[in-house]
Amino acid sequence: MHSFVISDSLIYGVPGSSSPRNIGLRGLRSRQTWRLGPRPWSHCKYHHTPGQPTEPPEQSYDTSQGTFNSPETLEVVQKALVPFSSARTTRTDLTRSSHGQPYLRPSQSPTMNSTAPAVHYISARQLYADAGTDFSKLNRLETQWVAWYLWLDNPVLATGLASFLLHEIVYFGRCLPWVVIDAIPYFRKWKLQPNKVPTHHEQWECTKQVLFSHFMVELPVIWLFHPMAEFFGMSTWQVPFPLWQTMAAQIAFFFVLEDVFHFFAHRALHWGPLYKHIHKVHHKYSAPFGLAAEYAHPAEVMILGTGTIAGPILYCAYGRDLHIFCVYVWITLRLFQAVDAHSGYDFPWSLQHIVPFWSGAEHHDFHHMAFTNNFSTSFRWCDRLFGTDVKYQEYRKRVNAMKKLNLSKDEYEAMERKMILEAEQEGLRAEAEVEAYSFSGKRKIE
């Protein structure tokens, strides 16, 4: 009968010897972080009798140990690791020691070279081990989260890649339904500017510019988000996730802060030189569509994007209790809001008809059509407070009055086109006035 004891400390391997290189749950080291210096075995917490096996035997689930919440926990974690681990040379297995504690071990011994310098970055496996993560208490989503970090085994790479993929999948995934809707004439009756449907060429040109911004501007920023987040104390690889009530309060704070920031930054971008050289790109489409949500000058992407990440960074800097999973939920909701606001459609079930202070597409579409008013993103509070929705309110009163008239379909559409044209002409005049200003603030002499 073999007796094994695995506890907190690291199991050190001695180069050139046959000493075991096993690792416990909180003593895990990846092949990149093996200690190469000698260490007396009397100082190790892993004890074995010479001539006995050096690997702790894998044991079946034992309910008497009380380590796992259910018999399926170990199997769930193992299955979660399989699709990730199969693509790597060193596969990571989750098993249990003789006293019932789960631990991670590399199934293949790392190639040791006593003359090779040690790599100093901390791997994901080491982080989970040092943190003493109890895998038995994780739900399915948290288990997949752990599997992702263990598969890449580099927290910076794992966070950066996950952040960028999330952004791309959510953004284009949310844009796709609007592309389909634009191609179906049935939905024209809910389009805010029904005579301006984006062509395939316009959508493709827009997509190319958006992809350029994503890869050349947003990707470097997203890739560096992990070290910046950890600098401010944000949790990234850690599990379990915070309570949903905690995340809901944090996301509500992010929405409010971003909306206020966006309002003032957006108004600043409508100042002459900034508009002419930066923001004018985004106003190319007077009738926006979903893909145009992030169609903007690279400088504008950086400026307005600051409002999206400023909330999490500031909250984390003072509270230091933010998890990046909460940030991912926030980014997802923010992208949904941005794409929907540029969709150009106002359905009876749109959120602004349920939440009166929500901006929505009907609010932001007027900004693109008339150039002025409605500078906020998610909420209507700032525009109402600073009086930057006066023309919008007048326009909506005219539209509502027109709907009460007993007009035929053709008469209604003719009057609607006339009102939209008037708003556009007024917007063009306002745009020309803005572009007529120089950095000195004086009007150019024509």
Side-chain angles (χ1 to χ4, degrees):
M1 194 73 179
H2 302 297
S3 175
F4 296 88
V5 179
I6 299 179
S7 63
D8 297 1
S9 65
L10 168 65
I11 304 307
Y12 292 81
V14 180
S17 73
S18 58
S19 302
R21 298 186 180 96
N22 300 303
I23 43 183
L25 175 61
R26 293 190 295 272
L28 180 64
R29 289 295 184 270
S30 71
R31 57 174 177 166
Q32 293 91 347
T33 54
W34 287 99
R35 288 288 186 90
L36 300 182
R39 182 175 175 89
W41 282 105
S42 60
H43 293 174
C44 298
K45 298 294 184 65
Y46 177 98
H47 304 285
H48 75 290
T49 303
Q52 293 182 346
T54 58
E55 288 278 350
E58 298 185 12
Q59 300 183 6
S60 60
Y61 177 81
D62 182 3
T63 56
S64 64
Q65 299 287 350
T67 304
F68 300 97
N69 292 333
S70 66
E72 292 80 14
T73 303
L74 180 60
E75 181 181 359
V76 168
V77 179
Q78 286 176 327
K79 288 183 178 179
L81 292 172
V82 168
F84 299 104
S85 305
S86 59
R88 293 181 63 87
T89 303
T90 302
R91 183 173 58 86
T92 303
D93 295 328
L94 181 68
T95 183
R96 296 193 301 118
S97 65
S98 58
H99 61 286
Q101 294 297 322
Y103 71 94
L104 291 165
R105 63 175 178 80
S107 62
Q108 297 178 4
S109 299
T111 302
M112 301 299 296
N113 184 352
S114 59
T115 61
V119 181
H120 297 291
Y121 81 83
I122 303 177
S123 69
R125 284 176 286 179
Q126 178 181 346
L127 291 172
Y128 284 120
D130 292 342
T133 305
D134 186 356
F135 296 96
S136 67
K137 297 181 179 179
L138 304 181
N139 58 37
R140 186 171 296 275
L141 181 59
E142 292 165 344
T143 300
Q144 294 297 328
W145 186 272
V146 171
W148 169 258
Y149 275 92
L150 290 176
W151 178 56
L152 293 175
D153 206 28
N154 183 327
V156 177
L157 177 63
T159 303
L161 186 58
S163 302
F164 184 70
L165 289 176
L166 174 84
H167 183 272
E168 298 306 290
I169 292 172
V170 172
Y171 182 79
F172 289 106
R174 186 55 186 160
C175 287
L176 185 59
W178 296 116
V179 173
V180 175
I181 289 174
D182 279 329
I184 302 176
Y186 171 77
F187 294 101
R188 297 288 189 277
K189 57 184 176 181
W190 291 300
K191 187 162 177 59
L192 292 162
Q193 299 184 57
N195 295 323
K196 291 186 177 181
V197 180
T199 64
H200 295 302
H201 176 73
E202 288 177 325
Q203 291 176 333
W204 174 237
E205 290 297 317
C206 178
T207 301
K208 289 191 294 184
Q209 176 62 32
V210 168
L211 286 172
F212 175 82
S213 295
H214 284 186
F215 280 91
M216 302 305 295
V217 180
E218 297 181 19
L219 178 59
V221 176
I222 291 174
W223 205 258
L224 296 174
F225 186 73
H226 178 97
M228 180 175 65
E230 290 207 327
F231 175 81
F232 286 102
M234 187 182 302
S235 301
T236 52
W237 51 268
Q238 292 88 341
V239 287
F241 299 144
L243 297 174
W244 70 266
Q245 296 92 332
T246 301
M247 292 194 292
Q250 293 169 344
I251 292 171
F253 169 74
F254 300 157
F255 262 113
V256 173
L257 183 65
E258 191 280 333
D259 187 73
V260 175
F261 178 90
H262 190 103
F263 175 80
F264 289 104
H266 193 180
R267 288 195 69 179
L269 288 172
H270 274 254
W271 174 64
L274 291 181
Y275 175 79
K276 183 176 181 180
H277 299 288
I278 298 177
H279 192 50
K280 186 179 177 70
V281 175
H282 185 66
H283 274 268
K284 176 181 179 179
Y285 304 105
S286 60
F289 47 95
L291 284 166
E294 293 189 351
Y295 180 86
H297 190 282
E300 179 175 348
V301 174
M302 295 292 293
I303 293 170
L304 298 184
T306 300
T308 302
I309 64 172
I313 294 299
L314 289 175
Y315 183 92
C316 191
Y318 287 95
R320 308 191 78 83
D321 62 344
L322 181 65
H323 198 287
I324 198 172
F325 179 77
C326 178
V327 179
Y328 285 172
V329 176
W330 151 240
I331 294 296
T332 300
L333 296 176
R334 176 69 179 92
L335 288 173
F336 268 60
Q337 181 276 325
V339 173
D340 290 356
H342 289 82
S343 65
Y345 288 88
D346 182 29
F347 295 109
W349 55 85
S350 295
L351 188 57
Q352 65 264 23
H353 299 300
I354 303 173
V355 182
F357 53 83
W358 186 256
S359 295
E362 179 258 345
H363 188 263
H364 192 68
D365 195 87
F366 181 83
H367 175 77
H368 278 263
M369 179 178 66
F371 182 75
T372 58
N373 280 202
N374 300 359
F375 296 99
S376 60
T377 52
S378 300
F379 310 114
R380 304 181 181 221
W381 303 327
C382 288
D383 285 304
R384 182 62 57 88
L385 181 63
F386 291 95
T388 53
D389 64 347
V390 176
K391 294 181 180 180
Y392 163 74
Q393 295 293 341
E394 293 175 352
Y395 178 81
R396 294 312 306 174
K397 288 180 180 178
R398 293 176 60 189
V399 171
N400 292 333
M402 183 180 65
K403 290 180 179 179
K404 296 178 181 179
L405 299 176
N406 190 17
L407 300 175
S408 65
K409 181 180 178 180
D410 293 338
E411 290 175 334
Y412 181 87
E413 290 177 353
M415 186 173 290
E416 183 182 43
R417 286 194 297 269
K418 181 180 178 181
M419 290 177 58
I420 291 175
L421 182 61
E422 290 175 355
E424 286 181 344
Q425 293 299 324
E426 185 177 356
L428 290 174
R429 290 192 293 270
E431 183 181 24
E433 291 177 3
V434 168
E435 292 189 82
Y437 282 86
S438 64
F439 281 98
S440 63
K442 299 179 180 179
R443 280 185 175 276
K444 291 181 178 179
I445 300 176
E446 300 293 342

